[in-house]
Amino acid sequence: MAESRPPAGTLRFASLGSGSKGNATLVSDGEAWVLVDCGFGLRETERRLARLDIHPRQLDAVLVTHEHGDHLRGVGPLARRHGVPVYLTPGTWLSGRLGEVPQLHWITPQSRFAIKGLVVDPITVPHDAREPVQFRFESRGRHLGVLTDLGYPSDHVAEAFHGCDALILECNHDPHLLQTGPYPPTLKRRVGGNWGHLANGQAATLLARLGLDRLQHIVCSHLSEHNNRPELALEALTPLLDGDASRLTIAAQDHGLQWQTIS
């Protein structure tokens, strides 16, 4: 397990997978091990954690952003099987989709808390869920933003995630592919609306507002299987980096993203 135990205070992250079929992100500072969302079934989650050299019982918490199945599906089974504490907002809990969990902790949006030495800021975002949040993590002056599932780049979000050293950013859809794709009209309106998901261009607009100087890693995440392509997401963001895409990566649905370290 040597690779999975960096020196204390080293902030790093990995993705188990990201997209419409399931989302989960690992964050660690070398002392705390946190899973943001778990949208995969229990067995698949265990398999994907093992791929990153992590056993579920190493986890100190699962932080839940909201109640949609591609983020919540595996949370209850994982918590019950392996005794992992679950953190979520009361609104997410009241969706009734989680089931019984052994250790439940409430998240109050905009109220900072800590898991061991890892500081967590839960940020309210515009999305069509009961009480959705996204997260900013801090360890020894290094900051990671996990920012997916929001309908538009609000001023509140731009302020809360400004100045990160790494960012996992939703690039859900290309507007043309969404409008000409297979979704029914009601779903197209939902995805493209202010309470749905970020288009590639919206992600670029938000990224410009967040500031690029400190960003070491920019991860395009939650790409739609039907309404986006990796090259379109990269094409939207690369001009902000003077054509240098070396800081850009994709969190893929099938194989996620290996450990990334914030130096």
Side-chain angles (χ1 to χ4, degrees):
M1 306 292 285
E3 184 185 353
S4 64
R5 297 188 182 277
T10 301
L11 188 58
R12 65 180 191 151
F13 62 94
S15 172
L16 276 65
S18 184
S20 304
K21 295 179 179 178
N23 297 271
T25 303
L26 269 169
V27 180
S28 177
D29 66 347
E31 295 180 350
W33 302 87
V34 171
L35 189 65
V36 179
D37 290 332
C38 184
F40 303 99
L42 177 60
R43 186 168 298 179
E44 181 66 12
T45 299
E46 293 170 336
R47 186 183 73 82
R48 291 181 183 233
L49 284 170
R51 192 167 61 193
L52 292 165
D53 202 20
I54 296 294
H55 190 278
R57 292 194 179 273
Q58 287 179 256
L59 296 173
D60 295 288
V62 180
L63 309 184
V64 183
T65 60
H66 63 293
E67 70 270 17
H68 293 163
D70 58 328
H71 295 263
L72 187 74
R73 184 176 298 111
V75 173
L78 183 71
R80 290 187 286 272
R81 172 69 66 85
H82 297 288
V84 184
V86 175
Y87 291 68
L88 77 174
T89 64
T92 299
W93 170 255
L94 288 172
S95 69
R97 299 179 182 178
L98 187 62
E100 185 178 350
V101 294
Q103 299 182 59
L104 189 63
H105 300 269
W106 298 126
I107 288 173
T108 301
Q110 283 66 245
S111 293
R112 175 176 292 185
F113 61 96
I115 299 173
K116 296 182 177 176
L118 184 64
V119 177
V120 185
D121 284 298
I123 312 299
T124 296
V125 295
H127 191 53
D128 58 350
R130 285 174 174 259
E131 195 177 9
V133 291
Q134 296 290 314
F135 298 104
R136 178 167 176 158
F137 298 90
E138 190 271 331
S139 177
R140 298 192 180 182
R142 296 290 183 260
H143 295 260
L144 164 67
V146 178
L147 184 51
T148 67
D149 291 77
L150 65 159
Y152 70 98
S154 69
D155 292 341
H156 172 70
V157 167
E159 180 180 352
F161 285 90
H162 187 271
C164 287
D165 298 283
L167 184 67
I168 300 174
L169 178 62
E170 177 173 52
C171 297
N172 177 258
H173 62 276
D174 171 82
H176 175 72
L177 291 182
L178 175 64
Q179 291 307 314
T180 59
Y183 284 7
T186 53
L187 184 54
K188 290 179 180 181
R189 287 193 294 270
R190 172 187 169 264
V191 170
N194 281 346
W195 301 94
H197 294 275
L198 284 188
N200 295 332
Q202 290 177 302
T205 298
L206 178 56
L207 185 61
R209 296 181 66 187
L210 297 180
L212 299 166
D213 291 345
R214 288 183 55 166
L215 278 171
Q216 302 172 26
H217 304 280
I218 306 163
V219 181
C220 304
S221 68
H222 215 303
L223 273 69
S224 170
E225 179 182 10
H226 298 291
N227 305 314
N228 209 359
R229 295 195 297 269
E231 60 269 24
L232 294 177
L234 295 174
E235 182 180 281
L237 301 188
T238 300
L240 296 174
L241 305 170
D242 296 324
D244 178 13
S246 61
R247 287 187 277 172
L248 289 170
T249 52
I250 299 285
Q253 180 70 89
D254 292 336
H255 56 268
L257 180 69
Q258 289 295 314
W259 286 108
Q260 308 290 308
T261 299
I262 302 173
S263 60

